[in-house]
Amino acid sequence: MRTFLALIAAALAPTILVVALYLAAQFAMFPADDPYIWVRVRPVAVISLMVSSAHVFALGFPAFLLLRRFSTVRPISILLIGFLLAAASVGALTLPSQFGTAGSSSTVNGVPMMIDGVATAAGWLEFLQGMLVAGCFGLLSAGTFWLVWRRGPNNSLKRTDQSLRD
């Protein structure tokens, strides 16, 4: 039960942060009494929760089970796995070289990201920045998982003797 609650908390933490950041941007752009701010928040919250839950349950939980199997569940291993899984999944989806075809080019705010199908240094830097941000969301999720999971009657991975519990 404790693991399930930790997984739920791990999925909710990045969602709450994304929604808070989105709301802050909305309140900075629109008047506070704009009723459509809350209408626009719902899709962001739903999509964020879906993405976060998919990462936690499809990638994070199996990784946790592997760590537990090899008795390597430690704060640093949980945090490292959270960062790497989030960064790697975003990196695999946004790899600049997979979008380039001969003759294709792209710019962002006037900065060339891809020229003739080849990513520029700015394109690769943007890619690495996206992976870093995703990794930070993975850190948040993994840290939340660890904080919720470690709280409980038996914080060790070893069984405790029944006579010692009484």
Side-chain angles (χ1 to χ4, degrees):
M1 181 66 165
R2 179 179 61 179
T3 303
F4 181 71
L5 290 175
L7 290 168
I8 296 295
L12 286 174
T15 301
I16 291 168
L17 179 60
V18 166
V19 168
L21 292 172
Y22 184 79
L23 274 174
Q26 289 292 301
F27 283 121
M29 288 191 294
F30 300 104
D33 61 347
D34 181 2
Y36 294 105
I37 287 176
W38 300 105
V39 172
R40 290 186 295 267
V41 166
R42 181 180 298 148
V44 170
V46 169
I47 291 170
S48 175
L49 184 60
M50 287 172 37
V51 169
S52 180
S53 297
H55 278 86
V56 167
F57 287 98
L59 299 175
F61 184 55
F64 169 73
L65 292 176
L66 280 174
L67 289 175
R68 195 168 73 174
R69 169 106 170 127
F70 295 110
S71 299
T72 56
V73 177
R74 308 275 184 279
I76 191 69
S77 63
I78 294 285
L79 292 172
L80 183 63
I81 289 293
F83 181 88
L84 290 175
L85 287 177
S89 63
V90 167
L93 293 174
T94 61
L95 189 63
S97 61
Q98 73 184 355
F99 299 112
T101 58
S104 65
S105 297
S106 67
T107 61
V108 174
N109 295 329
V111 178
M113 297 290 164
M114 186 174 293
I115 299 173
D116 198 24
V118 178
T120 64
W124 284 107
L125 189 60
E126 185 79 16
F127 168 73
L128 291 175
Q129 181 183 4
M131 285 182 58
L132 180 64
V133 168
C136 289
F137 278 105
L139 275 176
L140 172 65
S141 185
T144 303
F145 175 86
W146 174 257
L147 290 174
V148 173
W149 183 77
R150 74 181 177 102
R151 299 181 60 87
N154 183 5
N155 292 334
S156 75
L157 296 175
K158 299 175 186 159
R159 293 181 177 261
T160 54
D161 185 14
Q162 181 64 30
S163 62
L164 295 176
R165 282 193 237 164
D166 299 337

